[in-house]
Amino acid sequence: MGILSFKSHLFKLSSLLFGNNNLLTSKTFLKSNLLSATYCSGNSLQVQENEHITLPKFLDVHLPNARQTLKLDPTWLRDHCRCPDCYNAVTYQRNNDILKLNEHSTISAHSQSDGLLHVLWCDGHKSIYSIPWLVSNTYEGRCQTQEEETSRIITWDGSMGNITNLEPILHRNALHDDNTLSEIYRRVIHYGFAKIEQVPSTEIDTKMIIERVCRMSRTVFGKFWETGTNFDHMDSGYLNGYLEAHTDNTYFTEAQGFLVFHCTHFNGRGGESFLVDGFHVAKQLKLFDPVAYDYLSKANITAEYIEPGEHFSSGGAILRHDPVSGQLEQIRFNMLDRAPLTSVPQPEVGTFYRHLRTMAMLVRQKENEYWFRLSPGTVMIIDNWRLLHGRNSYEGKRVLRGCYYSRSDFMSKARHYGIIS
Ligand SMILES: [Fe+2]
Ligand SMILES: [Zn+2]
């Protein structure tokens, strides 16, 4: 929500609170109550008007080595004061009162020097801001960062031509070296997966390396699972048939962000695994059929998972985008877990199935499938919001251990290691 629309919402809220429901008086009301963020005395800032309200003045911050200036709303600036009165640097939480923010957002004077912005407010409060901090913590700065991060995501097809020369990550290094851990995060964020080799096959070793990377997440499937030795859950993942490319947990309100596999025993035929880069497929779909891309970014599709005592159900678009940056954030693609299609009116279902088929066709393109064998000793971490996984049917015994990492937990660590912002 932009500042203007935010203020317009705030106005509506204030109208309700103060009983002012006469929209014709909104200009006066806003001027006297909500938009008191005017400057005390002369400066070079401009006032802009539209038909409803007077926009706040903006403070121009001159950026070193850049022609543009950063235009900052005084209310935003006051809200982002990081002095000890306004911000608790121990808990990383704000101390200011949202209801008093506006009356405190009048600037008396400001100056800029040595990479710092100094602001004196009308109530005598003083704020000092680091200009690089201001840049990286505004909408404008953040959009720039997200673009850079997105450009570092390396999509791939089944040939894996662009990522086959990666050095193997060894278990002993991952266990003891933080740089190796950071490299695991880098690979997962950039390529959608990472492998750790030479992991011993005992349960304790599997758990140790899994927990070394990130804390395990507890779901209906437990915290740590093993397939091939039990049939605890009513899911085709626990059986031995062919599994088409899919993402997990489309039926959760928030699908688990990452999954971890460790195949510890295989004695039989078949069972090869494959991955499809959903972001690569999305790129293809956008090029090949932009209307389908747009449709599948908006149409709601519900998935469900039922077992005795449980009934999970959740809806959302197959292609989910970040609401601020508009960047593709998540693929929700699981044809098996689809619930009855109640979200699309009958006259539209033809369109729905046509677009879904187009995407499914791209997912099934052999050229998009990266096939490999999960062999004992390899732990694999897979981005469940980006990659689709599947496997061949098999005969014999195949023991696969694993867990999920929640998106929040894994991304928190990725941020800690400086891989994302
Ligand atoms: Fe799965
Ligand atoms: Zn302050």
Side-chain angles (χ1 to χ4, degrees):
M1 189 185 292
I3 288 167
L4 176 56
S5 58
F6 170 73
K7 287 208 158 143
S8 143
H9 278 76
L10 197 55
F11 165 69
K12 285 175 191 158
L13 179 64
S14 297
S15 296
L16 285 172
L17 287 173
F18 298 110
N20 183 347
N21 52 13
N22 180 359
L23 289 176
L24 292 174
T25 62
S26 65
K27 196 165 182 176
T28 321
F29 179 84
L30 283 167
K31 274 184 172 169
S32 59
N33 293 280
L34 295 171
L35 294 181
S36 59
T38 50
Y39 290 80
C40 293
S41 59
N43 55 47
S44 61
L45 302 167
Q46 294 172 352
V47 180
Q48 297 169 31
E49 295 244 3
N50 77 1
E51 67 210 65
H52 296 303
I53 57 171
T54 306
L55 278 173
K57 295 173 179 179
F58 294 95
L59 188 148
D60 285 349
V61 178
H62 304 285
L63 306 178
N65 310 319
R67 283 194 193 142
Q68 305 102 317
T69 53
L70 186 63
K71 290 186 173 300
L72 297 178
D73 184 298
T75 309
W76 183 97
L77 262 178
R78 184 67 193 250
D79 190 31
H80 289 78
C81 179
R82 287 313 199 228
C83 82
D85 288 342
C86 299
Y87 190 75
N88 185 331
V90 177
T91 63
Y92 299 95
Q93 289 174 303
R94 282 176 162 89
N95 280 336
N96 54 18
D97 179 349
I98 190 69
L99 296 182
K100 293 191 176 143
L101 196 57
N102 216 49
E103 68 190 69
H104 292 157
S105 297
T106 305
I107 294 174
S108 274
H110 62 89
S111 65
Q112 211 180 306
S113 64
D114 300 327
L116 297 173
L117 170 69
H118 299 257
V119 175
L120 174 64
W121 302 94
C122 275
D123 62 357
H125 193 77
K126 288 178 188 167
S127 304
I128 302 174
Y129 307 87
S130 142
I131 290 170
W133 186 92
L134 288 174
V135 172
S136 56
N137 285 282
T138 50
Y139 169 87
E140 290 75 7
R142 190 49 66 99
C143 284
Q144 182 72 29
T145 314
Q146 277 179 335
E147 254 171 51
E148 285 164 12
E149 281 175 9
T150 307
S151 70
R152 286 203 293 269
I153 287 177
I154 297 156
T155 55
W156 44 264
D157 63 17
S159 72
M160 303 292 285
N162 43 0
I163 51 174
T164 42
N165 56 357
L166 294 173
E167 282 275 309
I169 291 175
L170 303 183
H171 172 248
R172 64 172 182 278
N173 297 338
L175 217 45
H176 304 294
D177 175 25
D178 280 357
N179 290 332
T180 306
L181 210 48
S182 164
E183 173 62 11
I184 292 170
Y185 275 89
R186 192 191 68 79
R187 288 190 191 183
V188 175
I189 298 298
H190 290 188
Y191 306 113
F193 71 95
K195 290 177 183 176
I196 305 167
E197 313 284 1
Q198 299 179 359
V199 182
S201 62
T202 68
E203 188 172 316
I204 199 156
D205 281 305
T206 310
K207 281 183 175 166
M208 203 182 285
I209 191 65
I210 283 176
E211 295 256 58
R212 163 79 173 143
V213 174
C214 190
R215 70 185 71 86
M216 290 190 267
S217 177
R218 186 183 291 282
T219 69
V220 65
F221 304 106
K223 204 168 167 189
F224 179 82
W225 39 258
E226 189 170 284
T227 64
T229 53
N230 67 70
F231 297 95
D232 289 349
H233 299 280
M234 315 292 280
D235 191 85
S236 44
Y238 283 75
L239 306 175
N240 62 352
Y242 168 78
L243 282 180
E244 67 176 29
H246 64 280
T247 59
D248 281 3
N249 309 153
T250 45
Y251 39 77
F252 286 165
T253 310
E254 181 179 303
Q256 294 290 305
F258 300 84
L259 56 137
V260 184
F261 288 135
H262 185 197
C263 178
T264 54
H265 181 91
F266 183 66
N267 177 11
R269 284 197 315 189
E272 300 85 355
S273 302
F274 69 100
L275 295 173
V276 173
D277 186 349
F279 281 15
H280 176 70
V281 168
K283 273 188 192 170
Q284 289 180 314
L285 183 66
K286 206 171 194 173
L287 268 177
F288 179 68
D289 191 342
V291 175
Y293 184 96
D294 193 50
Y295 187 89
L296 296 176
S297 301
K298 291 175 185 144
N300 195 85
I301 178 164
T302 304
E304 64 183 359
Y305 173 76
I306 303 170
E307 68 171 49
E310 303 284 357
H311 187 156
F312 292 91
S313 175
S314 185
I318 288 180
L319 303 168
R320 227 173 51 81
H321 294 78
D322 180 283
V324 177
S325 68
Q327 307 279 3
L328 180 60
E329 190 174 44
Q330 182 189 7
I331 310 273
R332 292 175 70 252
F333 190 91
N334 192 316
M335 296 302 98
L336 304 186
D337 291 340
R338 285 179 300 126
L341 185 62
T342 54
S343 51
V344 179
Q346 288 298 318
E348 203 190 292
V349 293
T351 308
F352 173 83
Y353 284 115
R354 191 173 74 249
H355 295 321
L356 189 59
R357 258 197 320 270
T358 306
M359 176 147 181
M361 185 194 75
L362 290 171
V363 166
R364 292 225 193 136
Q365 292 265 304
K366 285 287 159 213
E367 300 75 40
N368 286 337
E369 296 175 347
Y370 161 49
W371 283 88
F372 55 96
R373 180 172 285 288
L374 272 176
S375 41
T378 303
V379 164
M380 198 159 183
I381 303 161
I382 296 167
D383 185 341
N384 185 49
W385 281 27
R386 169 178 164 186
L387 304 191
L388 294 82
H389 61 280
R391 64 125 216 261
N392 247 339
S393 61
Y394 65 91
E395 289 167 15
K397 186 169 171 160
R398 182 180 191 258
V399 179
L400 193 66
R401 292 188 193 133
C403 75
Y404 290 117
Y405 295 139
S406 84
R407 194 80 186 168
S408 299
D409 285 344
F410 194 90
M411 294 313 238
S412 160
K413 296 278 182 197
R415 218 166 274 120
H416 165 76
Y417 285 114
I419 313 295
I420 58 169
S421 63

